[in-house]
Amino acid sequence: MTGRRIVPYTCENDEEKEGRRRAMRSKNPQKKFKKMVAIEPTKLLPEWDEKLKNYAEETVFYKDIPNDSEEIIRRIGDADCVMLSFTSKIEKEVLEACKQIRYIGMCCSLYAPESANVDILFANEQGITVKGVRDYGDEGVSEYVISELARLLHGFGDVMWKGEPMELTDLNIGIVGMGAVGSLVTQTLNFFGANTFYYSRTRKPEIEEDYDCTYLPLEQLLPKVEILITCLNKNVVVLHQEEFELFGNGKILMNVSISPSHEIEALAKWLEAPGNHAFSDTPAGLGEAVVGLENAYVGTRSAGLTARAKNRLAKKVIDNIEEFFEAEK
């Protein structure tokens, strides 16, 4: 680890923004929606749900998940503000039926309209503002990566990767996707002395310099690394049968995306080979077809949804509402 640089990671840097908002709130009465409806559990801590309710004259927060669009339309009713997490979908037919909606607040990650559980493009055409959140659960994800890799490498659980305990030091580890999560995972692995390589749609010179991380095209990265960690947006698939063949056997795949980064059938076939292991913190990250295989390790809760992450998420959800009211002035 000699000579490796440790660069502090900052998840949020919004003190000045928050100070400005407090000053504005002290000068101006708080605006409110006429009616706010959370069509499903927000996944926020109860005290933050209560704070959300301060932004509407009337509020209804449902505690279960609606079965279909018809039920969602019924729940929304005459609300001008709709809140939801990542479970339900607000599609075009819902937006067409609920024309009084002004604002949709997503209490979950939003990276691109194409991967969202709200039809954002149609909503925007109707003059509806849709806001989501980014970069609130990254720390928990990086801790999950180290925890699970250490257990398998050292044999702290029922299975050990090799015949002898292994360290992360000097292992070749590849990261696919160099957004906020990929960057933090890279930094963490750098601290533990791993040799890191990455593939991303765009080069990240600052990552390469700060964390001694080498860029490689995907077809060169796959055979080079012993462990592959995919950190991609929802519904982005990069690993097909051809990529698994390039990756080879006796290796570890870890997906920390909220949906599979791979073709599920291709992963199932790859897992048939001895010495291959796959990880995800939730069943949705690997696919139900491989859950239950002895070399597929699947968690039961999202690594990024810790108590601290829920606080960061809630603050950003409320920031989004206040930004919406500020823009209306």
Side-chain angles (χ1 to χ4, degrees):
M1 287 173 55
T2 304
R4 294 184 185 271
R5 298 177 60 195
I6 306 301
V7 178
Y9 172 78
T10 302
C11 178
E12 296 181 12
N13 184 21
D14 56 2
E15 291 183 5
E16 292 183 359
K17 180 171 68 174
E18 179 61 21
R20 173 175 55 84
R21 288 191 181 144
R22 286 175 182 167
M24 292 187 68
R25 285 198 294 267
S26 67
K27 296 178 181 178
N28 303 296
Q30 179 177 303
K31 282 192 171 184
K32 292 189 176 186
F33 295 107
K34 292 181 179 179
K35 184 177 181 180
M36 175 189 292
V37 171
I39 63 171
E40 63 179 356
T42 63
K43 306 293 196 297
L44 305 181
L45 297 173
E47 59 266 30
W48 286 103
D49 274 345
E50 292 304 310
K51 290 181 181 180
L52 265 181
K53 293 176 182 179
N54 292 328
Y55 290 86
E57 296 172 5
E58 179 185 353
T59 61
V60 180
F61 278 51
Y62 287 92
K63 301 301 183 183
D64 60 344
I65 298 169
N67 292 323
D68 50 32
S69 291
E70 183 178 345
E71 174 63 15
I72 292 173
I73 292 170
R74 188 192 67 77
R75 292 187 178 192
I76 292 173
D78 59 351
D80 57 342
C81 171
V82 179
M83 309 298 294
L84 77 162
S85 186
F86 59 84
T87 314
S88 299
K89 290 185 177 181
I90 295 182
E91 298 176 321
K92 181 179 179 180
E93 63 179 305
V94 174
L95 299 171
E96 287 179 328
C98 303
K99 297 185 181 298
Q100 75 290 339
I101 298 175
R102 298 163 54 209
Y103 180 87
I104 298 175
M106 298 172 60
C107 304
C108 58
S109 297
L110 171 58
Y111 293 102
E114 294 76 15
S115 62
N117 55 323
V118 176
D119 190 337
I120 295 177
L121 298 180
F122 184 75
N124 291 162
E125 289 176 5
Q126 306 306 304
I128 301 170
T129 298
V130 182
K131 285 185 174 287
V133 175
R134 295 189 65 164
D135 309 337
Y136 62 90
D138 307 339
E139 289 81 357
V141 173
S142 65
E143 292 176 6
Y144 166 79
V145 168
I146 298 302
S147 170
E148 293 304 295
L149 288 181
R151 281 176 58 83
L152 182 63
L153 266 58
H154 285 265
F156 293 145
D158 297 330
V159 181
M160 187 163 62
W161 185 33
K162 303 287 188 181
E164 293 287 337
M166 303 281 292
E167 301 173 357
L168 288 166
T169 305
D170 290 331
L171 282 181
N172 291 340
I173 301 181
I175 296 94
V176 177
M178 196 53 75
V181 172
S183 300
L184 183 54
V185 169
T186 300
Q187 178 197 356
T188 308
L189 291 169
N190 174 269
F191 174 80
F192 281 96
N195 303 319
T196 53
F197 305 82
Y198 81 100
Y199 168 73
S200 180
R201 289 182 299 176
T202 56
R203 292 282 294 267
K204 310 289 184 180
E206 69 283 3
I207 298 294
E208 297 173 21
E209 179 180 355
D210 291 343
Y211 307 134
D212 193 23
C213 187
T214 302
Y215 172 86
L216 289 174
L218 185 60
E219 65 272 14
Q220 295 179 25
L221 180 142
L222 292 172
K224 175 77 173 178
V225 302
E226 299 158 278
I227 299 171
L228 185 69
I229 304 171
T230 50
C231 313
L232 299 165
N233 290 346
K234 185 178 179 181
N235 299 328
V236 176
V237 175
V238 296
L239 301 176
H240 308 83
Q241 187 64 42
E242 180 181 355
E243 283 74 26
F244 278 109
E245 290 173 0
L246 284 172
F247 189 30
N249 295 322
K251 296 188 175 183
I252 300 169
L253 170 67
M254 178 175 284
N255 179 38
V256 296
S257 310
I258 62 175
S259 65
S261 58
H262 48 270
E263 285 185 348
I264 296 173
E265 290 184 4
L267 172 63
K269 182 176 181 181
W270 179 77
L271 286 172
E272 293 175 358
N276 291 342
H277 303 270
F279 287 85
S280 178
D281 57 333
T282 65
L286 287 187
E288 294 292 341
V290 298
V291 173
L293 297 179
E294 62 179 3
N295 51 346
Y297 311 96
V298 182
T300 58
R301 60 178 62 88
S302 171
L305 207 56
T306 63
R308 284 188 177 272
K310 288 179 180 180
N311 282 331
R312 289 191 289 265
L313 169 61
K315 289 176 182 177
K316 292 187 175 189
V317 168
I318 287 177
D319 282 349
N320 284 342
I321 291 175
E322 294 190 351
E323 287 176 359
F324 171 76
F325 285 137
E326 286 179 24
E328 281 197 326
K329 293 178 182 177

